[in-house]
Amino acid sequence: MQYTERTSGSSAETVVAMSDEMSVALLPNADAPDAPPLMAPGRPTVAILGSGDFSRSLAVRLVACGVSVVVGSRCVKRIAPGLFPDAVELKDQEGAVARADRLVFLALFPEHYPSLLGLRASLAGKVLVDVSNAVKLGRSRLSNAEQLAEMFPESVVVKGFNVISAWTLQTGAQDGNRQVLLCSDSVEGKNEVAQLARRMGFHPVDLGGLRFAQDLESVPLGLFPLWRGPVLTTFLLFLFFYGYGFIRGILLPYLANGRNAFYRLAFDLVNESLPAVALVTLALVYLPGLFAAWLQLWRGTKYQRFPCWLEGWLLRRKQLGLLSFLCAALHGVYSLCLPLRTAAQYRLINAAYTQVKAGVEEPWDELGVWRSDLYLSFGVLGLSVLSLLAVTSLPAVGNILTWREFTFVQSGLGYVALTLSVTHTLVFGWNFAFSAQAYAFYMPPSYMLAVALPCAVLVCRCFLLLPCISGRLARIRRGWESKRKCPVSQHHHVVANSTCPEV
Amino acid sequence: MQYTERTSGSSAETVVAMSDEMSVALLPNADAPDAPPLMAPGRPTVAILGSGDFSRSLAVRLVACGVSVVVGSRCVKRIAPGLFPDAVELKDQEGAVARADRLVFLALFPEHYPSLLGLRASLAGKVLVDVSNAVKLGRSRLSNAEQLAEMFPESVVVKGFNVISAWTLQTGAQDGNRQVLLCSDSVEGKNEVAQLARRMGFHPVDLGGLRFAQDLESVPLGLFPLWRGPVLTTFLLFLFFYGYGFIRGILLPYLANGRNAFYRLAFDLVNESLPAVALVTLALVYLPGLFAAWLQLWRGTKYQRFPCWLEGWLLRRKQLGLLSFLCAALHGVYSLCLPLRTAAQYRLINAAYTQVKAGVEEPWDELGVWRSDLYLSFGVLGLSVLSLLAVTSLPAVGNILTWREFTFVQSGLGYVALTLSVTHTLVFGWNFAFSAQAYAFYMPPSYMLAVALPCAVLVCRCFLLLPCISGRLARIRRGWESKRKCPVSQHHHVVANSTCPEV
Amino acid sequence: MQYTERTSGSSAETVVAMSDEMSVALLPNADAPDAPPLMAPGRPTVAILGSGDFSRSLAVRLVACGVSVVVGSRCVKRIAPGLFPDAVELKDQEGAVARADRLVFLALFPEHYPSLLGLRASLAGKVLVDVSNAVKLGRSRLSNAEQLAEMFPESVVVKGFNVISAWTLQTGAQDGNRQVLLCSDSVEGKNEVAQLARRMGFHPVDLGGLRFAQDLESVPLGLFPLWRGPVLTTFLLFLFFYGYGFIRGILLPYLANGRNAFYRLAFDLVNESLPAVALVTLALVYLPGLFAAWLQLWRGTKYQRFPCWLEGWLLRRKQLGLLSFLCAALHGVYSLCLPLRTAAQYRLINAAYTQVKAGVEEPWDELGVWRSDLYLSFGVLGLSVLSLLAVTSLPAVGNILTWREFTFVQSGLGYVALTLSVTHTLVFGWNFAFSAQAYAFYMPPSYMLAVALPCAVLVCRCFLLLPCISGRLARIRRGWESKRKCPVSQHHHVVANSTCPEV
C-alpha cells in the first residue's frame, strides 16, 4: 500500500492508494438483503481516457469506492509506475474502451477530442462523460460537450464533474464542493453518472439538456463575479478622495504659496484617503437595508420584489463590508507607522528646538490631550468591532451561528462599528469645522465629506427604531399586508418588476 | 434557465433555477433494479403554503432534487414572475393542497395559522410540516406545532426544518448545517419527512414526540449561550481593574496632591486594565484542567463525574481563551498607539527641553534599554502565539487537525503563551516590586495583582510534570482505577453527583 | 430530554439525548416499499464495552440514529446517572455481549484487552470493532488489532473509527472528518461496520486486510508531518541571519572598536533577521514552480514525474507561504514597536540636544523623507497582500473559490506580494549599496543577502512571460508532447523515476 499525497494539505487529506484486496472487500455479500445501499450488485468497470492529474485523482477515488478502473492512454509505456493505484489497469485507448461496461470518462483537454475519432466504433453505445471546461468565456461557439456529441453521434454524451477540482476528487467531498452538476440529453446516461457520483460521495444536481453545457463550462472560469462591483466602487472612491486631497493639500498650496509638499503623496495622502473610503463603504453596506425597509413600509407589503439595482446591491453587502474592513485596517497600520517616518522625527526634533529657543516649556494642552486620547480609543475600538464582523463573515464561522446570532453580529455589531467610526472621525475633527482654517481654498477636509453619508445612515436608522415604525415593519416582515395590496379581481396585476437580468 | 442568486455568497453557491426538463430527467428508469437509492419510484408532489423567502428557497431545492412542487398563496397574482422556478406550479391555497400527495409545508408565520382553518377538510389526512420558530423564548404556552395539532386534529403534524436557514436550503447542506431536527407523534409522518430531507441532502435527526417541539422551536433563538458566562466574567474583571486603577492612579493622587490626571481615563487606564484582564482570563483557561487533573488523582479514577460548576467551566475554555486573545490584541494595539498621543509628544519635547536646560546629554541607561527591549520582545512573541491558538480555534482549521496536533497546539502552545505573557509582565515590572514607589497608597500596581494567578497556574502545572505524578495521571486517564473505587456489593453507591442542570 | 453538552462548541453542536420514543420512531414501516434506504429492517443491537468518553459519544450517536445500544462496564454501579442516554442499557460486560446481535465495540485502551479474555466464549462469532490508536509510533510490534485477533481467534476483528475523535462522533460528521477508515480480513465484518458507519452519516473507506492496521493506528499520531521540513528550513534560515547579523553588527564592532552594542540582541537583531527570513521563504514558495516549468519545457512533456525532492517541495508550498507570512507579520509588529523603546527615545532626545547645541534647526532631508515614506508604504501594502494570501489558505475560504479564482489569488497576488516586498527592501536600501559604509568588515547587510534570491525568482518569472515560452508551456500543460517523447516501440522505456519514498 502506498501513501499518495499529490496535493498540499494536512495529514487528514492523506489518500491511501488501494490494493486489489480493497476493491474486492467492498463487494457486498450477494445474498445479504441489507446490502449497503450505495453499492450496486456486481462491480462496474469504468474507463478513463487520459493519464494526467484529473485522470489520476478520478481513478484513485473510484478505486477507493469499489469500482473497477481501466485507464487508456496514448502512450502506456510513458506512465510512471506508482502513478496510478495497483488496482488500475493501464491499457491503450482501444483496449480501455473495450473493457468499460458503459461509462467512459474523457479526461483530455477538448482540443484533443478529434484524436479519438478513430475509436468511434468502439465508443458507440457507451456513455461519454465530458469533464472539460471552456477555454475562454465566449458565447459564440458550441460548447465542448455539444461538439463532442456531433463527433460521436452514436454515443451518449453527459457533461459533468467539470466544477470539481482534482484535489476535491482525491480527498473527498468537503464543504461547498459536494455538488456535481450534470447535463445531458439522455435521461438514462445522466442517471448512470448520477449513481456513480453518489457512490463517490458527491451530490448530483441535474441542469437539464445538453444545451445548458455552455453555462456549465463557464462556471469554473468565474473570477469573483460578486466582487467586481464593490471593488470598482471602492477603487473609484479611493481615486476621488486621493485626487481631492491632492488638489486641496498639495497642488493648490503649491500654486498659491509655492509650498512644496509633494512628499505627502507617498504616505500622508494615502492615509487620508483610506479612512474616508472605509467610512463611505461601511455606510454603503447599511444603506440598501434602509432603502429596502422604507420601500416595504411605503408599499405596505413584503411580497413585491425590489428594483434590480437594489437586489444586486443587497447581494453585495458582504463584499462591501470586507472591503471597508480592509481599508480601515490599512488606515490603522499606516497610522501606527506615522512615528517611524523621517518627517515625523524631523517635526519632533524641531519642535523641541523651537521650544528651547523660546525658553519656555511646552504648555500642557488639556483639551488637545483629551481629544487625541479619545479619538485614538474610538478608532481602536471601531476597528476591533469591524474585525469581529470580518471573522463572522468566514464561511466556517458563519455556518455555525444561528440566525439570531448572525443577525446580532452583522446588524447589531455592524451599527456599533459604524457609530464608533463616526465618533472617531467627529472627535478627530473636534472644532475644526467651525474654524476658517479648515476650509482651505473653500474645500473642506476629506473626512468631513466622508462622514456625511454615515451620519445620514445612522440618523435614518434611528427613525426606524421608533416604536410605531418598527412595529409596522415587523408586522410587514411577518407576512401582514395592507389591504390595498391584495386585489380580488384576477385581471388586476400588481406586479411591478419584470425578471431582473442576471444580477 | 435563470441564475437565481438571492443571497450573498461566492460563485460556488450559485443555484440554477430549473426547467421542467430537469425534473423529468431525474426520474429513474422504472425497471432498472439499481435505481438510485435516494429516488423513490414515481415523482412525489409536495405543496408549500406561503410565498416568502423560505417558501422560495424550499421550492428551488425540491425542484433541484426532482420533486414536483406546487406553491399555494393567498394572492397568486401578486407573485412576481421569475420569483419561483418555472417547474413550480402557482395556485391558490385550496388548489395547492388538493394537488399534494401527502406533504404540505406551512411556510407561514405562526400567527397566520388560523387563516388556514378554512382548509381543514382538504388538509385532513395530509402531513403538515411546521417550519416556524418560537416568537420569543417563553415556556408558558403551547409550542406552535402543538397549537397547529389542536387546530387540525385530522392532519398529522411534523415539526422540522426550522433550524435550517433559507440560505442553507438554497445552497445545499454544508458544514455544520446538515442536520434537520424532526419531532412528531406520528412515526409514518416523521419517516416521510425524513425521506424527503435525505433526498435534499440533509441528515434527519429524530427528537421524539411533539411535546419536544417547544425545545426545538427555541434552538434558533439561542444567542451565544456558551459565551454569556465568559463575557460576563471578562467584563467584571475589566470593571474591577479599571476601578482599581482609577482609585490608585487618578482619584487618590487627586485627593492627596491635587494632581489632575483625569485625562488618563480615556486611554492610559484602558491600556492598563486590558492586559490585566487578558492575563487573568488566560489563567482561567488552564485552571479548570488543573482542578480536573487533581480531582482525578485524588479520586484515583476518571469515571466519576466532575462537579457541575467544573464541567461548565471546562466547556467554556475556548470562549475564555478567545476573549483573552481579544483583550491581549487590543492591549497590543493600544500600546502601539502610545507614541501618537499628544501627551507622549509633550513628554518627549519637555524631556529634551529639560535635558538642554541641564546642559548635559541624556545618560545611556543600559539596564533600562535591556528591560524595554526584552519586555517588548516577549510581549510580541506572546501575542503571536496567542493568535496561533486563536486561528486553530476556527472550526475549519480545528477540524483538519488530528487529535495529537490539536492537543499540541491548544495545550502545549497554550502554556507557552501563558509563560511568555507572565515573563513579559515580570520583565515590565523589573525591580519595581522592591521599591516603595510602586506601592502608592499601599496599593500595588494592577499588573502585580494580575500576574499572581497565572504564576500559580504555571507552578501547579510544573508539579504535574513530575514523573511520578504524571505517570499516575496518565494511567488513570487510560482507564486504570485504584482498587477502593470499584465496590463489589450491589448496594453500595459510589455515585457522588446527580444530573447537572443544563450547563 | 436532557441537553448533553460534553464538549466546547457553539450552540449548533448541541446534541440532544434521546428518549426511548425516539429510537422507536425511526423504525420504518415494515411494508413500505420505499423505506429510508439507510435503515435496515429491524432494529440492530450493538454492544459497547467500556464507559469512558468515546463510549458515551458513540452511544449517543448510535441512539440518535435508531440503533439499540447496550453498554458493558466492569463496574456498572459506578456509572453516574445521566451520563448515558436513557435508551441505553447498562449491564456488566458478559450481559452486554450476550445482548448484542453481531457488533461489539471495544471502547477500551488496548492495555486492557487481556481483561476481556474471560469473555472469549461469548465473543465467538461476534464482530469486534477495535477503535484504539497506537500508544507510540513504533513499527516493531504487532498492531493492537492483530494482537486482538490473536487473543480472540473465533471472533472477527475489524479495525475502524480510530481516526474519528469523540467530539466528531457526537456532533456529527463535518468538514474533513467524514471518512471512517476500515480494515479487516473479513469482508462480511467490514460490510456490517460500513453499513453502521453510513447509518451514522459517515463515509466508510476500505483499506484492505488487517495487516494495514498498523498504518491506520498511526494516523492520529501524526504531528504536522507536512510542516516539519518548512519549520526546520525557516528556523535554520533564522539562525543563519541572526548569527550573521550578530557577527557583523555586534561582535566585530566590539572586537574592533570596543563598542558595546549587545543590547541589540533582544530586539534589533530579531527585527533584522525576521524580514530576511520572510523574503527568502517567500521566494522558496515560488521557486519550485519555476523549476517544474523549466523541467516541463526541457522535457517537452508534462507526463514525466518530477524528481522526488521537487515533488516534496511542491507539496509544502502552502506551509512555506504561511511561515513567510508569520515572519513578515512579526517583523511588522516589531517595527511598529520601535518608537516605544527606551533606546529610540534616547536617540530622539539627544538628537534634539545636539541640534540645540549646534544652534541650527535640523535641515529638511527631502530624499530621506521620500525614502522613508515610500518603503513604509510598500511594506504595509506587501504585508496586506500577504495576509490576503493567508486568508485564502484557510480551508473554508479555499474550498469556495473556483480553480481560476484560487490560481488568481495564490499565483497572481503571490507574485504581487513578492514584488512589493522586494521593492520595500530595495527602497530601504536606497543607495547604501553603493557606499563603502554598508560593507562593514567586507560583509554586506542582511537584507542585501536576503533580496538576492527573490530578485532571481522575479527575473526568471518574467522570462516565462515571454509569448513564445509561455505559449509552449501552456500547450505542454494541455497535453501536447514533443514527438521524441512518445516511443512507438514497446520495449523502449522512457520512465525516469522510480516510486518516490513517502514524501
Side-chain angles (χ1 to χ4, degrees):
Chain A
M1 181 174 69
Q2 309 151 306
Y3 281 88
T4 317
E5 288 182 15
R6 292 271 163 260
T7 59
S8 69
S10 78
S11 54
E13 292 165 288
T14 306
V15 171
V16 182
M18 307 299 169
S19 66
D20 246 316
E21 204 168 315
M22 174 278 316
S23 43
V24 171
L26 279 171
L27 273 185
N29 214 339
D31 47 359
D34 49 356
L38 294 179
M39 302 293 161
R43 185 185 356 174
T45 306
V46 165
I48 308 176
L49 297 182
S51 56
D53 269 352
F54 192 90
S55 163
R56 184 171 39 77
S57 302
L58 184 60
V60 166
R61 187 82 194 154
L62 286 172
V63 160
C65 302
V67 176
S68 264
V69 176
V70 53
V71 167
S73 166
R74 287 170 297 176
C75 191
V76 189
K77 291 291 159 283
R78 171 252 284 138
I79 300 176
L83 192 69
F84 284 88
D86 294 342
V88 171
E89 288 186 62
L90 304 170
K91 287 183 164 328
D92 61 315
Q93 291 182 334
E94 182 78 45
V97 172
R99 290 269 291 122
D101 291 341
R102 276 276 283 174
L103 292 175
V104 177
F105 280 84
L106 304 184
L108 317 163
F109 282 99
E111 50 262 34
H112 299 297
Y113 285 170
S115 72
L116 301 175
L117 282 170
L119 302 169
R120 196 186 300 200
S122 345
L123 287 174
K126 309 274 188 197
V127 175
L128 309 183
V129 185
D130 173 19
V131 302
S132 66
N133 295 317
V135 182
K136 57 185 192 294
L137 289 169
R139 303 202 84 95
S140 51
R141 313 169 287 108
L142 280 183
S143 64
N144 299 334
E146 288 162 320
Q147 295 179 33
L148 191 65
E150 284 186 353
M151 275 188 253
F152 298 92
E154 291 171 29
S155 311
V156 172
V157 172
V158 175
K159 173 135 212 99
F161 284 94
N162 70 315
V163 299
I164 304 283
S165 67
W167 179 13
T168 307
L169 256 188
Q170 188 157 342
T171 58
Q174 290 176 31
D175 293 347
N177 281 4
R178 289 190 65 237
Q179 304 203 63
V180 165
L181 310 179
L182 305 173
C183 67
S184 171
D185 287 330
S186 152
V187 171
E188 286 179 44
K190 244 187 305 192
N191 277 334
E192 294 186 50
V193 180
Q195 258 197 65
L196 192 72
R198 254 177 248 111
R199 191 170 185 147
M200 286 166 32
F202 291 100
H203 186 74
V205 173
D206 195 325
L207 295 192
L210 208 60
R211 65 182 184 281
F212 298 123
Q214 202 153 47
D215 294 298
L216 187 45
E217 285 172 6
S218 308
V219 166
L221 272 77
L223 190 66
F224 297 116
L226 274 180
W227 283 84
R228 297 183 188 186
V231 166
L232 187 67
T233 307
T234 307
F235 184 63
L236 291 177
L237 277 172
F238 181 81
L239 284 185
F240 168 73
F241 282 110
Y242 194 83
Y244 182 86
F246 172 68
I247 293 174
R248 177 181 183 273
I250 299 180
L251 190 62
L252 288 181
Y254 181 68
L255 297 176
N257 314 325
R259 212 181 108 214
N260 179 352
F262 284 90
Y263 74 93
R264 295 186 62 226
L265 277 172
F267 196 95
D268 269 332
L269 207 50
V270 176
N271 196 28
E272 257 185 44
S273 318
L274 281 173
V277 173
L279 264 177
V280 175
T281 317
L282 190 59
L284 290 181
V285 173
Y286 293 99
L287 197 53
L290 294 178
F291 282 153
W294 286 109
L295 253 182
Q296 284 177 337
L297 280 168
W298 178 260
R299 292 169 168 175
T301 174
K302 72 165 182 173
Y303 291 105
Q304 272 189 26
R305 285 183 69 170
F306 298 128
C308 282
W309 58 268
L310 186 57
E311 285 202 344
W313 193 355
L314 284 167
L315 260 183
R316 290 161 173 75
R317 282 179 292 178
K318 171 166 123 166
Q319 283 74 12
L320 282 169
L322 288 175
L323 286 169
S324 168
F325 167 67
L326 176 72
C327 292
L330 276 179
H331 162 59
V333 179
Y334 268 88
S335 302
L336 291 176
C337 287
L338 284 171
L340 298 176
R341 306 168 60 216
T342 312
Q345 294 165 13
Y346 165 87
R347 245 180 242 122
L348 257 175
I349 294 177
N350 279 338
Y353 177 81
T354 314
Q355 217 56 41
V356 170
K357 277 281 167 255
V360 293
E361 258 200 13
E362 168 124 347
W364 176 254
D365 178 13
E366 180 88 5
L367 271 186
V369 165
W370 271 103
R371 169 184 167 263
S372 98
D373 277 5
L374 276 175
Y375 83 69
L376 283 175
S377 218
F378 280 124
V380 172
L381 291 175
L383 187 57
S384 67
V385 176
L386 272 179
S387 51
L388 277 184
L389 286 175
V391 164
T392 54
S393 296
L394 284 174
V397 178
N399 276 336
I400 64 175
L401 299 180
T402 69
W403 180 244
R404 192 165 169 227
E405 292 170 347
F406 191 79
T407 315
F408 171 80
V409 173
Q410 292 288 332
S411 185
L413 283 193
Y415 275 101
V416 168
L418 190 63
T419 310
L420 285 170
S421 310
V422 167
T423 318
H424 163 72
T425 314
L426 292 178
V427 174
F428 178 80
W430 207 246
N431 56 1
F432 290 171
F434 309 109
S435 84
Q437 202 185 9
Y439 301 94
F441 312 99
Y442 305 108
M443 296 166 82
S446 300
Y447 62 84
M448 234 185 263
L449 293 184
V451 85
L453 185 62
C455 284
V457 166
L458 284 174
V459 164
C460 202
R461 185 72 176 87
C462 287
F463 266 117
L464 279 182
L465 289 176
L466 295 172
C468 46
I469 299 186
S470 70
R472 184 180 153 101
L473 187 61
R475 280 200 321 275
I476 289 176
R477 285 184 170 164
R478 291 182 75 84
W480 175 86
E481 293 186 281
S482 71
K483 282 289 170 287
R484 55 190 174 90
K485 284 301 168 190
C486 199
V488 182
S489 158
Q490 279 187 339
H491 302 292
H492 176 53
H493 285 268
V494 197
V495 171
N497 319 93
S498 56
T499 311
C500 287
E502 182 177 331
V503 291
Chain B
M1 183 173 68
Q2 309 152 307
Y3 281 88
T4 317
E5 288 182 14
R6 291 271 163 264
T7 60
S8 68
S10 77
S11 55
E13 292 165 290
T14 306
V15 171
V16 182
M18 307 299 169
S19 66
D20 247 318
E21 207 169 311
M22 172 279 316
S23 42
V24 172
L26 279 172
L27 273 184
N29 213 341
D31 47 357
D34 51 355
L38 294 178
M39 303 293 161
R43 185 182 359 167
T45 306
V46 165
I48 308 176
L49 298 181
S51 56
D53 269 351
F54 193 90
S55 163
R56 184 172 36 78
S57 304
L58 183 60
V60 165
R61 187 84 195 151
L62 286 172
V63 159
C65 300
V67 176
S68 265
V69 176
V70 53
V71 168
S73 166
R74 287 169 297 176
C75 193
V76 189
K77 292 292 158 279
R78 170 252 287 137
I79 299 177
L83 192 69
F84 285 88
D86 294 341
V88 171
E89 289 186 62
L90 302 171
K91 287 184 164 327
D92 62 314
Q93 291 182 334
E94 181 78 43
V97 171
R99 291 269 289 122
D101 290 342
R102 277 274 284 175
L103 291 175
V104 177
F105 280 84
L106 305 183
L108 318 163
F109 282 99
E111 51 262 36
H112 299 297
Y113 284 169
S115 71
L116 302 174
L117 282 170
L119 302 168
R120 198 185 300 200
S122 345
L123 288 173
K126 309 271 188 200
V127 176
L128 310 182
V129 185
D130 172 20
V131 303
S132 66
N133 294 317
V135 182
K136 59 186 192 291
L137 289 170
R139 303 202 85 95
S140 50
R141 313 168 289 106
L142 281 182
S143 63
N144 299 333
E146 288 163 319
Q147 296 179 33
L148 191 67
E150 282 184 353
M151 275 189 252
F152 299 92
E154 291 172 28
S155 312
V156 172
V157 172
V158 176
K159 173 132 212 99
F161 286 93
N162 69 316
V163 300
I164 305 283
S165 67
W167 179 14
T168 308
L169 256 187
Q170 189 158 340
T171 58
Q174 290 176 29
D175 293 349
N177 280 3
R178 291 189 65 236
Q179 305 203 61
V180 165
L181 310 179
L182 305 174
C183 67
S184 170
D185 287 331
S186 152
V187 171
E188 287 180 42
K190 246 185 307 191
N191 277 335
E192 295 186 50
V193 180
Q195 260 198 65
L196 192 71
R198 255 178 245 111
R199 190 169 185 144
M200 287 166 32
F202 292 100
H203 184 76
V205 173
D206 195 327
L207 294 192
L210 209 58
R211 66 180 185 280
F212 298 123
Q214 204 153 47
D215 294 297
L216 188 44
E217 286 172 6
S218 309
V219 167
L221 272 78
L223 190 65
F224 299 117
L226 275 181
W227 283 84
R228 299 182 185 185
V231 167
L232 189 66
T233 307
T234 307
F235 185 63
L236 291 177
L237 276 172
F238 181 80
L239 284 184
F240 167 74
F241 283 110
Y242 194 83
Y244 182 87
F246 172 69
I247 293 173
R248 177 181 182 274
I250 299 181
L251 190 60
L252 289 181
Y254 181 68
L255 296 175
N257 314 324
R259 213 180 108 216
N260 179 354
F262 284 91
Y263 74 93
R264 296 187 61 227
L265 278 171
F267 197 95
D268 269 333
L269 207 49
V270 177
N271 196 26
E272 257 185 46
S273 318
L274 281 173
V277 174
L279 264 177
V280 174
T281 317
L282 191 59
L284 289 181
V285 173
Y286 293 99
L287 197 53
L290 295 178
F291 282 153
W294 285 109
L295 254 181
Q296 285 177 336
L297 281 168
W298 178 258
R299 290 170 170 175
T301 174
K302 73 165 181 173
Y303 292 105
Q304 272 190 26
R305 286 183 68 170
F306 298 128
C308 281
W309 59 268
L310 186 58
E311 287 202 342
W313 194 354
L314 284 167
L315 261 183
R316 290 160 173 75
R317 283 178 293 175
K318 171 166 124 168
Q319 283 73 12
L320 282 169
L322 288 174
L323 286 168
S324 167
F325 167 67
L326 176 70
C327 292
L330 276 179
H331 163 59
V333 179
Y334 268 89
S335 302
L336 291 175
C337 287
L338 284 170
L340 300 175
R341 304 169 60 215
T342 312
Q345 294 165 16
Y346 166 87
R347 246 182 240 120
L348 257 176
I349 292 175
N350 280 337
Y353 177 83
T354 314
Q355 217 57 39
V356 169
K357 277 282 166 256
V360 292
E361 257 200 13
E362 169 123 345
W364 176 253
D365 178 11
E366 179 88 5
L367 270 186
V369 165
W370 269 103
R371 169 182 166 265
S372 98
D373 277 4
L374 277 175
Y375 83 70
L376 282 176
S377 218
F378 279 124
V380 172
L381 290 175
L383 188 57
S384 66
V385 175
L386 272 179
S387 51
L388 277 184
L389 285 175
V391 164
T392 54
S393 295
L394 283 174
V397 178
N399 276 337
I400 64 175
L401 300 180
T402 68
W403 181 243
R404 191 162 169 230
E405 291 171 346
F406 191 79
T407 313
F408 170 80
V409 172
Q410 291 289 334
S411 185
L413 282 194
Y415 274 101
V416 167
L418 190 62
T419 311
L420 285 170
S421 311
V422 166
T423 317
H424 163 71
T425 314
L426 293 178
V427 173
F428 179 80
W430 206 248
N431 57 1
F432 289 172
F434 309 110
S435 85
Q437 202 184 8
Y439 301 95
F441 311 99
Y442 306 108
M443 296 166 80
S446 301
Y447 63 83
M448 233 184 262
L449 293 184
V451 84
L453 185 64
C455 284
V457 165
L458 284 174
V459 164
C460 201
R461 185 72 176 88
C462 288
F463 265 117
L464 279 182
L465 289 176
L466 295 173
C468 46
I469 299 185
S470 70
R472 184 177 154 102
L473 187 62
R475 279 201 321 275
I476 288 176
R477 286 184 168 163
R478 292 182 74 84
W480 175 88
E481 293 186 280
S482 73
K483 282 288 171 287
R484 55 189 174 92
K485 283 302 168 191
C486 198
V488 181
S489 158
Q490 278 187 341
H491 302 294
H492 177 52
H493 286 267
V494 196
V495 171
N497 318 92
S498 53
T499 312
C500 288
E502 183 178 328
V503 290
Chain C
M1 184 173 72
Q2 309 152 305
Y3 281 88
T4 316
E5 289 183 13
R6 290 272 164 264
T7 59
S8 67
S10 78
S11 54
E13 292 163 289
T14 305
V15 170
V16 181
M18 307 300 172
S19 65
D20 247 316
E21 208 170 309
M22 174 280 316
S23 42
V24 171
L26 280 170
L27 272 185
N29 214 340
D31 46 359
D34 51 354
L38 294 178
M39 303 293 162
R43 184 181 3 167
T45 306
V46 165
I48 308 177
L49 297 182
S51 56
D53 269 351
F54 193 90
S55 164
R56 186 172 36 78
S57 302
L58 183 60
V60 166
R61 187 83 194 153
L62 287 172
V63 159
C65 302
V67 176
S68 266
V69 176
V70 54
V71 167
S73 165
R74 287 169 297 177
C75 192
V76 189
K77 293 292 161 281
R78 168 251 285 137
I79 300 176
L83 191 70
F84 285 88
D86 294 342
V88 170
E89 289 185 63
L90 303 171
K91 285 184 167 324
D92 61 312
Q93 291 182 336
E94 181 79 46
V97 171
R99 289 270 290 123
D101 290 342
R102 278 275 283 174
L103 292 176
V104 177
F105 280 85
L106 304 184
L108 317 164
F109 283 99
E111 50 263 35
H112 299 297
Y113 284 170
S115 72
L116 300 174
L117 282 170
L119 302 168
R120 195 184 299 197
S122 344
L123 290 173
K126 309 274 189 200
V127 176
L128 309 183
V129 185
D130 173 20
V131 303
S132 66
N133 294 319
V135 181
K136 58 185 195 294
L137 288 170
R139 303 201 85 94
S140 51
R141 313 169 287 109
L142 281 181
S143 65
N144 298 334
E146 288 163 321
Q147 295 180 32
L148 192 65
E150 283 186 352
M151 275 188 253
F152 299 92
E154 292 172 26
S155 313
V156 172
V157 171
V158 175
K159 174 133 211 99
F161 286 93
N162 70 318
V163 299
I164 306 284
S165 67
W167 180 13
T168 308
L169 256 187
Q170 189 157 340
T171 59
Q174 290 175 30
D175 293 347
N177 280 3
R178 291 189 65 237
Q179 306 204 64
V180 165
L181 311 179
L182 304 173
C183 68
S184 171
D185 287 331
S186 151
V187 171
E188 286 180 44
K190 245 187 307 192
N191 277 335
E192 295 186 50
V193 179
Q195 260 199 64
L196 192 71
R198 252 176 249 111
R199 190 169 187 149
M200 286 166 32
F202 292 100
H203 185 75
V205 173
D206 194 328
L207 295 191
L210 209 59
R211 67 181 184 279
F212 299 124
Q214 203 154 45
D215 293 299
L216 187 46
E217 286 172 7
S218 309
V219 167
L221 271 77
L223 190 66
F224 299 116
L226 276 180
W227 283 85
R228 299 184 185 185
V231 167
L232 188 68
T233 307
T234 307
F235 185 64
L236 290 177
L237 277 173
F238 182 80
L239 284 184
F240 167 74
F241 282 110
Y242 194 82
Y244 182 87
F246 172 69
I247 293 173
R248 179 183 180 271
I250 299 180
L251 190 63
L252 289 181
Y254 182 68
L255 295 176
N257 314 325
R259 215 179 107 215
N260 178 354
F262 284 91
Y263 73 93
R264 297 186 62 228
L265 277 172
F267 197 94
D268 270 333
L269 206 50
V270 176
N271 196 26
E272 258 185 45
S273 319
L274 281 173
V277 174
L279 264 177
V280 175
T281 317
L282 190 59
L284 290 181
V285 173
Y286 294 98
L287 198 53
L290 295 178
F291 282 154
W294 286 108
L295 254 182
Q296 285 178 335
L297 281 168
W298 178 260
R299 291 169 169 176
T301 173
K302 74 164 181 173
Y303 291 105
Q304 271 190 27
R305 284 182 69 167
F306 298 129
C308 283
W309 58 267
L310 186 58
E311 286 203 344
W313 194 353
L314 284 167
L315 260 184
R316 290 161 174 76
R317 281 179 294 177
K318 170 166 122 166
Q319 284 73 12
L320 282 169
L322 288 174
L323 286 168
S324 167
F325 167 67
L326 176 72
C327 291
L330 276 179
H331 162 61
V333 179
Y334 268 88
S335 302
L336 291 175
C337 287
L338 285 171
L340 299 175
R341 305 170 58 215
T342 312
Q345 294 164 15
Y346 165 86
R347 245 180 241 121
L348 258 176
I349 293 176
N350 280 337
Y353 177 82
T354 315
Q355 218 57 40
V356 170
K357 276 282 166 257
V360 292
E361 258 199 12
E362 169 124 347
W364 176 254
D365 178 12
E366 179 88 5
L367 271 186
V369 164
W370 270 103
R371 167 183 169 263
S372 97
D373 277 3
L374 277 175
Y375 84 69
L376 282 175
S377 218
F378 279 124
V380 171
L381 291 175
L383 188 56
S384 67
V385 175
L386 272 179
S387 50
L388 276 184
L389 285 175
V391 164
T392 54
S393 296
L394 283 174
V397 179
N399 276 336
I400 63 175
L401 300 180
T402 69
W403 181 244
R404 192 165 168 228
E405 292 170 346
F406 191 78
T407 314
F408 170 80
V409 173
Q410 291 288 335
S411 185
L413 282 193
Y415 275 99
V416 168
L418 189 63
T419 311
L420 286 169
S421 310
V422 166
T423 318
H424 164 71
T425 315
L426 293 179
V427 173
F428 179 79
W430 206 246
N431 58 359
F432 288 172
F434 309 109
S435 83
Q437 202 182 6
Y439 301 95
F441 313 98
Y442 306 107
M443 296 167 82
S446 302
Y447 62 83
M448 234 185 262
L449 293 184
V451 86
L453 185 63
C455 283
V457 166
L458 285 174
V459 165
C460 202
R461 185 71 176 88
C462 287
F463 265 117
L464 279 184
L465 289 176
L466 296 172
C468 47
I469 298 186
S470 68
R472 183 180 155 100
L473 187 61
R475 279 200 321 274
I476 288 175
R477 285 183 170 164
R478 291 182 75 84
W480 174 88
E481 293 186 280
S482 71
K483 283 286 172 287
R484 56 191 174 90
K485 283 303 167 190
C486 199
V488 181
S489 159
Q490 277 186 342
H491 302 291
H492 177 54
H493 286 266
V494 196
V495 170
N497 318 94
S498 54
T499 313
C500 287
E502 181 175 333
V503 289

